Amino acid sequence: MTEKPYIRTLITAALPYVNGHLHLGHLAGAYLPADIYARYCRLAGKETLFICGSDENGVAITISAETEGVPPKTIIDRYHALARDSFAKLGIAFDSYGRTSSEIHHKTAQDFFLAIYNKQGMLIPKTEPQLFCEKDTMFLPDRYVEGTCPVCGNENARGDQCEKCGTFLDPLKLIAPRCKMCGTTPVLRESKHLYYRLGNFQHFLEMYIESHAREWKENVLQQTRSWLKAGLEDRAVTRDLDWGVEVPLKEFEGKKIYVWFEAVLGYISNTKEWAAQNAADWKIWWQDEGTRYIAFIGKDNIVFHTLMFPSMLHAHGGYILPENVPANEFLNLEGQKFSKSRHWSVDIDEYLLDFPPDPLRYTLAMNFPETRDSDFYWKDFQARNNNELADILGNFVNRASTFAWKNFGGITPELLPAAPEKREAVCALLAEDLDLAYNALGADGDFERSLAYEDVRKKYAMYFTANEFLMLWRLRAAPKDIARCYDDFRFRDGVAETLNLARSANKFFNDSAPWKSAKEQPDRCAVTVNISIQTLRSLAILCEPILPFTSEKIFRMLGIEKTALDSWSSAGDLRIPSGYHIAALGTSTGAPVVLFEKYNDERIQIQIDKLKKLAQPE
């Protein structure tokens, strides 16, 4: 994590190709971690902008269009709307979700292209042989070519990459190449294109990467360094294609800007579009050193965001570079790779027909492929929903609110029954003492086993039992512990820490046994219920990045209209005053809710059977 102070945080998530349905692997790779981080940043009071949009140019679109026999616009309109709506239903809270087919994107890409073209030696013309299909009378872009991979022997490798071994390919190096559309063997013909001198930035990029070696994830560094070690080469920046952004040069009329070059500029064009709609200045997000830029992507997009895009921004001049590129590895499905061609997939819109969003968000977050490939299993989804969300978080929320209503009529009892007049002063001093102890201990210290913990506990022993003090400590520490995880892009750890607070709350409630103390020690029962209600509010805040819909339910159940005062740091405060009525919003009665429905084996087996029924053999 960088120590440089920043005024604002720009977050981008890789632009998804809208040539088909998005699946759970896409969600786990870039969009859910980006959303968790953006929600956390907003709660932490950071000025934040979260940008994404549909990638609507390139051969992935034209191939889908030709396969269906429809114009490319039909494909992008259909799947852009589906992607936008699916993201919204999942709670992915983009500030802007744009399109690379928009006029503002085409102009932005062409202007950026010309700015680099007009700098001496950045783009150079080359005439080289390319595969040409005589039957379809067209030059074949890389994805229009299939053949045998020269590395692993896969007979169905694409011209740009082999899906089996992951090797990036040149279509001219495929063995026995064939046209994807008609199956005939292409011939070689010469075509003139512009090439981007990526190799000119070798030293600059080496310095840039190593300057972030302490903060970036090892998988990102390894893949990027392997490209640098092999040596960066010129890359074609124009191509022969009918669909995409026109090359704004008369000599190359009819050709299109290569999608690898123009798609990443969608981050900028979508920011411009957002700024125009909100009377804001887009330049402070891209051209001001006070902005910290975080680019969330999947494994297959790493070098485009650590090498190509940074070099382009540097070549143009005046732009900031990504401060971090926290890429995930791949998420697999039931032990196998996601595959559209084999129908081995769970699409987002399909999932949403059968289940609510939050259990999926939680399950994926707990299985993010942060350092290595991971898997989504339906049985794991069931177990995490039933045993963790329902039995831990949902159980505490329900039992604490139900008990408060049954025994106190939904009125928050006094935290200091023996000295209510001291409540404000004691709470303020306690928060200060706990913060001092936390900061002195450091990130790896075990405060609960330290002498300092015992000293602070004894200081407040006249007000709180050991069990109550322990819960107050964990309540105070949780926002800091979770923030450290999110700040370091360790989302699985952050999610686990969030659930650990719910675990602690359940243990606190059990050990306090308020059903007994209600009769034997009513003052202690009051303290238990007060701390439990405070914890409900804290969980509502801390759960929002992961479980936004659940967070909203808890706030409504407490009767709290969420405001900026319910910030991340406030989650450790005892903000709910004694006497506060926890009536559901708009009512005067209690409405404890069942947050999570449990899923039986039959319901899960239906999903497993459906997946296997549709799947095709490799």
Side-chain angles (χ1 to χ4, degrees):
M1 183 177 68
T2 181
E3 295 181 359
K4 181 179 177 180
Y6 288 96
I7 299 171
R8 64 192 71 85
T9 299
L10 170 66
I11 299 167
T12 63
L15 308 185
Y17 266 135
V18 284
N19 65 323
H21 297 256
L22 298 178
H23 57 61
L24 305 193
H26 297 123
L27 192 60
Y31 308 107
L32 184 54
D35 184 64
I36 290 174
Y37 188 68
R39 287 177 176 275
Y40 157 69
C41 286
R42 294 184 190 116
L43 283 167
K46 300 175 183 178
E47 186 181 3
T48 302
L49 186 65
F50 184 16
I51 296 291
C52 191
S54 295
D55 185 350
E56 300 179 321
N57 298 316
V59 296
I61 306 300
T62 57
I63 288 175
S64 293
E66 290 178 17
T67 300
E68 291 193 25
V70 299
K73 190 175 186 308
T74 300
I75 296 293
I76 64 172
D77 286 348
R78 179 200 308 160
Y79 289 113
H80 166 74
L82 183 62
R84 178 199 63 209
D85 294 347
S86 294
F87 282 138
K89 290 174 184 176
L90 276 165
I92 307 297
F94 301 121
D95 290 296
S96 176
Y97 187 80
R99 310 182 67 170
T100 61
S101 63
S102 68
E103 181 179 344
I104 194 170
H105 174 73
H106 280 237
K107 185 176 189 312
T108 296
Q110 290 174 330
D111 289 348
F112 200 100
F113 180 94
L114 286 174
I116 291 181
Y117 176 79
N118 290 328
K119 295 190 175 185
Q120 190 69 27
M122 294 287 190
L123 300 179
I124 60 170
K126 291 184 183 181
T127 300
E128 293 188 341
Q130 285 187 238
L131 294 175
F132 183 88
C133 179
E134 293 181 313
K135 182 176 181 179
D136 294 322
T137 62
M138 61 179 289
F139 283 100
L140 297 179
D142 45 21
R143 289 201 182 187
Y144 274 72
V145 184
E146 292 181 340
T148 300
C149 174
V151 177
C152 72
N154 172 25
E155 295 181 353
N156 296 305
R158 295 196 318 246
D160 62 337
Q161 186 178 14
C162 175
E163 284 190 335
K164 189 170 183 178
C165 69
T167 302
F168 287 97
L169 297 172
D170 180 332
L172 294 180
K173 294 181 180 179
L174 283 177
I175 301 169
R178 60 187 182 273
C179 173
K180 179 179 177 66
M181 304 313 298
C182 69
T184 62
T185 301
V187 299
L188 288 177
R189 288 192 183 178
E190 289 190 338
S191 184
K192 185 177 181 180
H193 286 281
L194 285 170
Y195 282 72
Y196 177 58
R197 305 300 303 274
L198 182 62
N200 287 1
F201 302 95
Q202 175 91 23
H203 178 69
F204 165 76
L205 290 169
E206 288 172 344
M207 297 295 289
Y208 165 64
I209 298 304
E210 294 312 313
S211 72
H212 293 289
R214 294 182 63 183
E215 307 107 54
W216 287 18
K217 294 166 66 172
E218 191 59 32
N219 62 318
V220 175
L221 290 170
Q222 285 182 2
Q223 187 177 138
T224 304
R225 285 167 173 163
S226 69
W227 273 62
L228 290 168
K229 184 177 180 180
L232 301 178
E233 300 178 349
D234 296 347
R235 290 182 63 87
V237 77
T238 62
R239 70 188 329 188
D240 296 295
L241 198 63
D242 293 332
W243 179 258
V245 179
E246 293 282 350
V247 176
L249 297 169
K250 188 171 182 59
E251 183 182 357
F252 294 88
E253 188 175 352
K255 298 181 186 292
K256 302 296 184 290
I257 300 176
Y258 218 128
V259 72
W260 73 260
F261 185 94
E262 58 88 3
V264 289
L265 300 176
Y267 302 136
I268 299 172
S269 61
N270 290 338
T271 305
K272 289 181 177 180
E273 186 173 63
W274 166 85
Q277 294 168 351
N278 291 274
D281 180 8
W282 71 269
K283 291 183 179 180
I284 65 169
W285 293 98
W286 284 99
Q287 297 182 344
D288 189 293
E289 291 297 325
T291 299
R292 182 184 191 225
Y293 173 27
I294 310 297
F296 283 88
I297 53 168
K299 179 180 183 176
D300 53 347
N301 268 317
I302 288 177
V303 294
F304 293 101
H305 291 72
T306 60
L307 297 176
M308 284 66 157
F309 192 33
S311 74
M312 292 162 56
L313 295 169
H314 178 69
H316 184 285
Y319 282 85
I320 60 170
L321 306 184
E323 186 68 22
N324 209 316
V325 185
N328 275 352
E329 297 290 289
F330 288 143
L331 180 78
N332 297 320
L333 175 60
E334 299 282 346
Q336 301 179 43
K337 289 183 178 180
F338 278 83
S339 172
K340 290 183 179 180
S341 61
R342 291 181 49 238
H343 302 291
W344 190 255
S345 178
V346 177
D347 297 334
I348 296 173
D349 57 307
E350 178 187 8
Y351 166 89
L352 289 168
L353 293 175
D354 297 318
F355 300 98
D358 277 357
L360 177 63
R361 290 176 63 107
Y362 175 77
T363 300
L364 291 179
M366 288 294 282
N367 289 286
F368 275 158
E370 292 180 343
T371 56
R372 61 179 63 88
D373 290 356
S374 62
D375 278 272
F376 175 87
Y377 289 97
W378 277 111
K379 285 291 187 181
D380 180 60
F381 168 78
Q382 179 189 26
R384 291 196 182 278
N385 177 81
N386 293 358
N387 303 339
E388 295 173 13
L389 291 180
D391 284 351
I392 297 174
L393 176 58
N395 179 54
F396 173 72
V397 171
N398 186 266
R399 71 195 301 205
S401 57
T402 299
F403 191 89
W405 268 98
K406 182 178 179 180
N407 293 272
F408 293 89
I411 302 298
T412 305
E414 178 56 54
L415 181 65
L416 300 181
E421 73 282 359
K422 295 183 179 180
R423 181 184 190 273
E424 187 174 337
V426 169
C427 288
L429 187 60
L430 174 63
E432 183 179 338
D433 285 342
L434 292 178
D435 287 346
L436 287 171
Y438 186 97
N439 295 333
L441 200 63
D444 301 320
D446 188 351
F447 180 59
E448 293 172 22
R449 296 179 182 274
S450 69
L451 292 175
Y453 176 85
E454 190 62 19
D455 289 341
V456 179
R457 187 193 68 78
K458 288 179 179 178
K459 182 176 178 179
Y460 295 91
M462 70 180 71
Y463 303 112
F464 305 111
T465 66
N467 186 44
E468 292 161 357
F469 180 81
L470 178 60
M471 189 62 216
L472 291 170
W473 156 252
R474 290 180 176 172
L475 198 61
R476 190 71 185 173
K480 301 180 181 68
D481 289 340
I482 300 167
R484 280 176 166 165
C485 297
Y486 289 165
D487 285 337
D488 290 337
F489 307 104
R490 293 182 292 113
F491 297 107
R492 286 186 314 194
D493 291 344
V495 176
E497 287 290 344
T498 305
L499 196 70
N500 281 343
L501 180 62
R503 282 194 177 93
S504 296
N506 270 309
K507 186 176 187 306
F508 163 72
F509 201 84
N510 287 337
D511 292 349
S512 298
W515 51 91
K516 290 183 180 180
S517 62
K519 299 175 182 179
E520 301 167 2
Q521 292 179 292
D523 281 359
R524 298 271 56 86
C525 179
V527 176
T528 299
V529 173
N530 185 295
I531 293 176
S532 296
I533 292 174
Q534 306 289 350
T535 304
L536 290 176
R537 175 186 168 275
S538 298
L539 285 169
I541 295 171
L542 300 177
C543 283
E544 186 190 326
I546 321 150
L547 308 168
F549 301 98
T550 303
S551 168
E552 184 179 350
K553 287 180 182 178
I554 298 173
F555 271 119
R556 289 188 62 83
M557 186 194 70
L558 293 173
I560 296 175
E561 290 276 11
K562 186 174 176 292
T563 69
L565 294 176
D566 298 299
S567 64
W568 187 266
S569 61
S570 81
D573 296 340
L574 306 177
R575 288 287 181 92
I576 296 183
S578 300
Y580 176 79
H581 194 208
I582 61 168
L585 281 174
T587 75
S588 59
T589 59
V593 294
V594 176
L595 292 180
F596 303 101
E597 174 191 1
K598 287 195 172 185
Y599 306 135
N600 59 30
D601 292 344
E602 181 181 0
R603 189 167 177 184
I604 297 301
Q605 192 60 46
I606 289 173
Q607 301 299 324
I608 297 172
D609 292 344
K610 181 168 60 176
L611 179 64
K612 292 179 178 178
K613 183 179 180 180
L614 292 173
Q616 297 178 2
E618 293 189 37

